[in-house]
Amino acid sequence: MVDLTRTAASPPVGASELFQILRDGVPRTRAELAALTGAARSTIGVRLDALIDVGLVGAVETAASTGGRPPAQVALRPTSRLVIAADLGASHGRVAVTDLVAAPLATREAQIDIAAGPVPTLTWLVQAVDELLDEVGRTRDDVVAIGIGVPGPVEFSTGRPANPPIMPGWDGFDVPSWLRQHIPAHVLLDNDVNIAALGEREHGWAGVDHLLFVKVATGIGSGIVSEGRLQRGAQGTAGDIGHVRVSRAGDVPCHCGNTGCLEAVASGPAIARALRAKGHDVHTSADVIALVNRSDLDAIYAVRQAGRDIGEVLATCISLINPSVIVLGGSVTQAGEHLIAGVREVVYARSMPLATEHLVIAPSRAGGVAALQGAASLAIDYALSPAGVDELVAYAEGRQLVS
């Protein structure tokens, strides 16, 4: 917890620091803010003026009077500014405009081809954002941050994809710089499984500080939340379990260039390939799910075996990071309990009893919108952070000077 008590030796209170007190949405008077920070009323007034000018805070219902005019209160204005959340998959694009407490105002979804390259994909994104802003009667200048998830490794500090195997042309592309040429907002790019883990944790498992989110779809990956924080690793590849070797995979080639990877035998395309070898006309995860729903025994067995293969890798993950919850999401999990049953079968057999005594292995609660919710949370966390508020105030002051 941040200590808001001030001493004479404390540094001066800036607008961004003052906002951290107000971002909880609780209305406060200027006198209360002065008492909390130890700053002079005049200083509080100047800092509040800066926050009011950029629309982050504003006047609210007055406080109860103890005699005379009741004191004015200020608080966060959630709808004054907007964030953009985008979930870009191999073949789908989802975009949402939300307010500063992640309430969605408008959404859009379309089929895209991320392999077409960054410029066509991001051009579609900007067009979708403009359509959504028109729908809610706002402009690009109202957007303070953009959170985006993509299906590949990302160098989070720079917002550049790093050798993404299914995203030709994206390696090293400066996504934030390209987007800022169109929308004057801070851009954050991350792996889609990471932001899905954020969305799942914040909207499905609030209060769970040790969570592993596993996505099983065209590929297999995981997002790691430890001590309540997303863990990306040194190069942003933490959680890339799809390319861990599993015993059943043998020498099966993987698109990563290696052989024997989990993804090569347990992903949606891998399951479909195994079923085609048995004479079934299946090509996609949706085809596999349809076959399972028709109670086809080959399909049920194939999905359950994929769960066992995933469980083999997760048993090691449990020993390493000791999560309290493992959440399974992605298109293949729509095959019902068969995938999760296979995971549980191996995890509980191979993991230490102490690690699994209270372990929960469950399907996603956020479902298909987990990544979109996580992207919104990523953008909001930055927009309301000290750095984000300072950036917004500096931009507004600079624009006023130019005009």
Side-chain angles (χ1 to χ4, degrees):
M1 181 178 294
V2 177
D3 183 5
L4 298 175
T5 305
R6 289 293 182 179
T7 67
S10 298
V13 177
S16 61
E17 187 177 13
L18 185 64
F19 179 75
Q20 298 312 302
I21 302 173
L22 292 166
R23 68 177 287 181
D24 62 4
V26 176
R28 294 180 175 88
T29 65
R30 295 177 185 234
E32 288 172 331
L33 292 170
L36 283 169
T37 62
R41 289 280 294 273
S42 58
T43 300
I44 294 296
V46 171
R47 304 297 182 248
L48 280 178
D49 286 344
L51 295 173
I52 291 170
D53 286 344
V54 297
L56 288 178
V57 302
V60 296
E61 295 289 334
T62 55
S65 174
T66 56
R69 175 184 290 181
Q73 293 181 311
V74 292
L76 170 69
R77 294 178 59 204
T79 59
S80 63
R81 293 285 182 156
L82 306 174
V83 302
I84 303 298
D87 169 26
L88 303 180
S91 59
H92 74 266
R94 300 187 184 99
V95 190
V97 174
T98 85
D99 64 16
L100 295 178
V101 291
L105 306 179
T107 59
R108 183 79 80 253
E109 183 171 355
Q111 294 294 311
I112 65 170
D113 180 12
I114 206 160
V119 173
T121 304
L122 296 175
T123 298
W124 170 83
L125 175 59
V126 171
Q127 292 171 346
V129 168
D130 284 339
E131 292 171 3
L132 292 173
L133 291 173
D134 286 343
E135 186 177 323
V136 298
R138 307 293 284 271
T139 70
R140 292 179 179 182
D141 285 336
D142 292 320
V143 178
V144 291
I146 303 172
I148 306 172
V150 293
V154 171
E155 186 180 64
F156 182 72
S157 61
T158 64
R160 296 172 184 258
N163 296 311
I166 64 170
M167 298 169 62
W170 287 79
D171 182 34
F173 188 83
D174 192 344
V175 174
S177 291
W178 193 95
L179 278 174
R180 281 197 296 268
Q181 295 175 29
H182 303 272
I183 304 173
H186 192 88
V187 180
L188 301 106
L189 189 76
D190 205 346
N191 174 267
D192 61 348
V193 184
N194 280 345
I195 63 169
L198 281 178
E200 192 68 47
R201 190 250 179 175
E202 295 191 18
H203 298 277
W205 302 86
V208 174
D209 287 339
H210 301 275
L211 178 145
L212 185 65
F213 175 80
V214 182
K215 181 180 179 181
V216 188
T218 303
I220 299 175
S222 70
I224 304 166
V225 175
S226 181
E227 298 289 348
R229 297 172 60 89
L230 184 65
Q231 306 298 317
R232 296 183 174 90
Q235 273 75 46
T237 64
D240 193 7
I241 63 172
H243 301 290
V244 174
R245 188 174 182 85
V246 292
S247 55
R248 189 174 71 91
D251 294 325
V252 176
C254 180
H255 63 77
C256 73
N258 287 326
T259 59
C261 294
L262 173 66
E263 198 168 289
V265 293
S267 64
I271 298 171
R273 185 171 60 248
L275 289 172
R276 284 198 302 275
K278 289 183 173 292
H280 297 280
D281 184 21
V282 293
H283 301 276
T284 66
S285 297
D287 294 336
V288 172
I289 293 163
L291 205 57
V292 169
N293 289 339
R294 294 199 296 270
S295 300
D296 182 270
L297 294 180
D298 287 340
I300 290 171
Y301 177 83
V303 170
R304 179 127 184 181
Q305 181 57 53
R308 294 187 186 104
D309 296 330
I310 295 167
E312 180 181 331
V313 174
L314 291 182
T316 300
C317 294
I318 290 167
S319 296
L320 286 172
I321 61 176
N322 189 204
S324 55
V325 175
I326 295 177
V327 180
L328 284 95
S331 58
V332 178
T333 60
Q334 296 173 27
E337 281 288 316
H338 304 294
L339 185 83
I340 294 178
V343 170
R344 289 172 176 155
E345 177 184 335
V346 174
V347 162
Y348 289 121
R350 296 194 181 183
S351 300
M352 294 294 291
L354 181 61
T356 58
E357 182 180 5
H358 302 292
L359 176 66
V360 174
I361 302 175
S364 167
R365 290 178 175 175
V369 298
L372 207 57
Q373 292 174 332
S377 295
L378 189 68
I380 291 169
D381 283 348
Y382 177 82
L384 302 187
S385 71
V389 174
D390 282 341
E391 183 177 319
L392 181 60
V393 170
Y395 175 78
E397 291 175 346
R399 188 168 56 178
Q400 290 168 2
L401 289 173
V402 170
S403 60

